[in-house]
Amino acid sequence: MMAAYQRGDQDAAARLITSLSPQLHRFFMLHSRSREYADDLLQETWLRIHKVRHTYRPDAPLLPWLYAVARNVRVDQYRKLRRVEAKEYQVDELPQVAAPPSAPAEDTDRFATLLKALPASQREVLTLLKVTGMSLEEVARATSSSVGSVKQKAHRAYEKLRGLLAAGASSEL
């Protein structure tokens, strides 16, 4: 589909967006503060993919290239937000806070809580490996790191999650 999209096939572009957007959206939801922010990142990713589609090599796997673009968009947006936050100033009175959105399912909430306890690099590797189902080599390409580094981050993430789960199980007794 990507090769057809590169040749200007609009139907292939639509099929590509339809089939991969849910997967990319899940990736952004695991790394973002809100659904709206994840939506913005997804939209920005597809705009960036459109601009750099000529850099995709049809003989290479699509997902690592796609996630590398998505990761770069996420990093660029983070840096942009940090620059904006540096220019903000303290106010005397805070505005009223809106009611929080309805809580997700308990398992999803617990999973998200566990993932947030991991460092960003470990969370990213774990998400790419386990949620999106990418191979070690694909994750290494998408994150611009070595397979050994991916294995190490995944191992450390598993160890941390085991510790958190064990602590949670002992506190429930």
Side-chain angles (χ1 to χ4, degrees):
M1 283 190 286
M2 186 64 187
Y5 175 38
Q6 284 179 311
R7 292 189 302 271
D9 184 348
Q10 292 180 349
D11 291 333
R15 286 193 315 271
L16 190 68
I17 291 168
T18 302
S19 64
L20 294 175
S21 285
Q23 198 171 344
L24 283 171
H25 196 265
R26 276 192 306 273
F27 172 73
F28 290 131
M29 281 297 293
L30 290 171
H31 295 283
S32 68
R33 296 177 255 181
S34 68
R35 182 179 267 315
E36 291 79 21
Y37 187 65
D39 293 343
D40 290 345
L41 288 173
L42 180 65
Q43 183 177 6
E44 183 62 33
T45 299
W46 283 114
L47 289 171
R48 179 90 50 95
I49 288 170
H50 182 72
K51 288 178 187 174
V52 300
R53 67 185 181 278
H54 66 279
T55 64
Y56 172 71
R57 295 185 330 261
D59 60 327
L62 176 62
L63 284 180
W65 179 84
L66 187 79
Y67 275 99
V69 172
R71 181 176 182 264
N72 289 337
V73 166
R74 186 172 56 86
V75 169
D76 290 348
Q77 289 296 86
Y78 173 77
R79 288 178 180 154
K80 181 179 177 183
L81 283 174
R82 297 296 294 176
R83 284 191 305 269
V84 169
E85 288 173 357
K87 295 177 183 176
E88 292 179 351
Y89 55 91
Q90 187 72 24
V91 295
D92 292 333
E93 186 176 323
L94 294 175
Q96 293 293 328
V97 178
S102 60
E106 185 176 320
D107 289 342
T108 305
D109 191 34
R110 186 164 184 219
F111 179 68
T113 303
L114 287 171
L115 280 181
K116 291 202 184 292
L118 297 174
S121 62
Q122 291 176 9
R123 185 172 50 238
E124 179 180 42
V125 165
L126 194 63
T127 302
L128 291 174
L129 283 172
K130 299 301 178 185
V131 177
T132 65
M134 293 172 67
S135 70
L136 289 168
E137 293 79 14
E138 291 172 330
V139 173
R141 270 188 243 131
T143 59
S144 302
S145 59
S146 68
V147 172
S149 175
V150 169
K151 286 180 179 180
Q152 183 182 45
K153 288 175 186 173
H155 176 73
R156 288 180 178 168
Y158 300 146
E159 289 297 316
K160 175 122 183 178
L161 288 175
R162 275 189 207 106
L164 291 170
L165 288 171
S170 66
S171 69
E172 290 175 4
L173 294 176

